[in-house]
Amino acid sequence: EAGVAQSPRYKIIEKRQSVAFWCNPISGHATLYWYQQILGQGPKLLIQFQNNGVVDDSQLPKDRFSAERLKGVDSTLKIQPAKLEDSAVYLCASSGLAGVSYEQYFGPGTRLTVT
Amino acid sequence: GDSVTQMEGPVTLSEEAFLTINCTYTATGYPSLFWYVQYPGEGLQLLLKATKADDKGSNKGFEATYRKETTSFHLEKGSVQVSDSAVYFCALSKYGNKLVFGAGTILRVKS
């Protein structure tokens, strides 16, 4: 079974530029999560989708971050404009329906450096 | 809000030593508890989990018991190997929703 795919793996941009990350979850997984992991900290949820609806985006900085999950499969996370403090690893995870399967499977992450 | 606190690292052990990484949590309701591991250059992997009080999760020689009375989920292994060197994260989740992670503990095992 293929795992969670993410691209790109690394990205370096200057502050005020925009960037987009892509995630393809495990086939059949209804729930998709984006986490931000700043160096030396645990991952923190940015947004959770169930199918193509948003379940939780309370920690998403909506003035600069946006995310979508068209057709309930792939997802894109965008930052515009980027700030220095956005330097982090962005992790995508997927799981079965919330309440049915608790295990989240993580992709390899995208390491973003903002200079 | 819900939170997880785990012991600071790095933890440095010799091969075959006993390992304990402490984890405590604060949460309303009845969370499920997890240990995730991140090996160098790899993504997060689920190591073990427990979904209710007194459950013991185990995998690859690691164990942790869900203690509701002390709100703890300490990770233990009887004999560590160099290959266990990694970052270990304690986490909780309620109703299959977001994982709330601790800050992570770096484990270094010397041969």
Side-chain angles (χ1 to χ4, degrees):
Chain A
E1 172 179 272
V4 177
Q6 290 188 248
S7 67
R9 292 293 309 276
Y10 305 91
K11 190 74 177 178
I12 301 173
I13 62 172
E14 295 181 352
K15 60 184 179 183
R16 291 188 289 273
Q17 287 187 324
S18 63
V19 64
F21 312 127
W22 173 82
C23 172
N24 182 237
I26 291 173
S27 178
H29 278 188
T31 310
L32 185 147
Y33 312 79
W34 283 101
Y35 291 86
Q36 180 192 56
Q37 185 178 12
I38 293 172
L39 186 64
Q41 300 181 19
K44 181 186 75 174
L45 181 78
L46 291 174
I47 189 166
Q48 175 184 344
F49 292 95
Q50 180 126 320
N51 297 309
N52 59 352
V54 175
V55 174
D56 184 352
D57 64 356
S58 57
Q59 299 299 305
L60 186 74
K62 298 181 186 65
D63 57 334
R64 298 183 300 106
F65 285 64
S66 65
E68 61 182 7
R69 190 182 184 198
L70 299 176
K71 301 180 182 177
V73 181
D74 293 7
S75 178
T76 302
L77 176 69
K78 297 179 182 177
I79 308 175
Q80 181 178 11
K83 293 184 175 181
L84 294 177
E85 60 260 37
D86 299 331
S87 293
V89 176
Y90 290 84
L91 298 168
C92 180
S94 71
S95 70
L97 283 171
V100 175
S101 171
Y102 297 102
E103 182 167 351
Q104 295 182 25
Y105 296 84
F106 284 82
T110 296
R111 182 176 298 277
L112 173 67
T113 302
V114 182
T115 63
Chain B
D2 299 340
S3 65
V4 174
T5 303
Q6 57 184 108
M7 65 188 287
E8 291 187 18
V11 174
T12 303
L13 297 173
S14 297
E15 213 166 15
E16 299 183 3
F18 185 85
L19 168 70
T20 298
I21 301 178
N22 291 336
C23 170
T24 57
Y25 68 92
T26 301
T28 57
Y30 303 96
S32 295
L33 302 175
F34 305 82
W35 278 100
Y36 277 81
V37 59
Q38 192 169 38
Y39 297 103
E42 298 185 18
L44 275 168
Q45 302 174 27
L46 178 65
L47 181 59
L48 53 85
K49 67 179 181 183
T51 57
K52 61 183 188 297
D54 299 325
D55 269 1
K56 177 186 284 188
S58 61
N59 186 25
K60 299 181 181 180
F62 290 89
E63 293 182 341
T65 301
Y66 188 167
R67 301 287 189 200
K68 192 165 178 62
E69 64 275 13
T70 54
T71 62
S72 65
F73 193 55
H74 305 320
L75 182 68
E76 296 182 336
K77 187 176 186 184
S79 176
V80 293
Q81 304 300 312
V82 172
S83 57
D84 294 326
S85 297
V87 184
Y88 292 82
F89 292 93
C90 186
L92 68 81
S93 174
K94 291 193 294 192
Y95 318 119
N97 288 315
K98 69 179 181 184
L99 286 161
V100 175
F101 287 89
T105 302
I106 297 171
L107 171 65
R108 298 181 180 138
V109 181
K110 302 183 299 183
S111 59

